[in-house]
Amino acid sequence: MKNLLLLILVVLLAVVPLIFNRAAEFNGADGEAEEAITEINPDYTPWFDALWEPPSGEVESLLFVLQAAIGALFIGYFIGSSRMKSKMEEKAAEHPQ
């Protein structure tokens, strides 16, 4: 029951802003930072350029999602292995050989 309530809350947090701001543009932080820097100092030049630019926005989104998925897998593996380790230790303590 608790997990279902958390799932509903997460879905509401994701959907409600989209419903109330239908015409809004949800830009990334990089674009917003670039606009703010240009507004503060129009003569600013970056220290370095990107080594590789993705050919399209779709490829950039794909790489971002892939990075997020790999991070989620790593975190999930770490949490799962630590839980399994603690369960095995509890089982070993209950049934000593």
Side-chain angles (χ1 to χ4, degrees):
M1 182 67 179
K2 181 179 175 183
N3 289 338
L4 180 62
L5 289 174
L6 287 174
L7 178 64
I8 291 170
L9 180 65
V10 168
V11 169
L12 285 175
L13 284 172
V15 172
V16 168
L18 297 175
I19 292 172
F20 286 116
N21 296 323
R22 290 182 188 262
E25 290 186 25
F26 296 96
N27 295 331
D30 293 343
E32 295 293 324
E34 184 178 351
E35 287 179 22
I37 291 169
T38 305
E39 187 176 310
I40 293 169
N41 184 3
D43 298 327
Y44 177 78
T45 55
W47 293 358
F48 58 90
D49 292 324
L51 297 175
W52 177 73
E53 288 284 331
S56 68
E58 291 83 7
V59 174
E60 186 175 358
S61 295
L62 172 71
L63 293 173
F64 180 76
V65 168
L66 185 63
Q67 177 184 0
I70 290 170
L73 286 171
F74 178 77
I75 291 170
Y77 174 79
F78 177 75
I79 291 171
S81 65
S82 64
R83 286 189 66 191
M84 182 57 76
K85 183 179 176 182
S86 66
K87 283 183 180 181
M88 296 298 282
E89 288 173 354
E90 287 175 11
K91 193 178 270 188
E94 290 175 3
H95 304 291
Q97 291 183 3

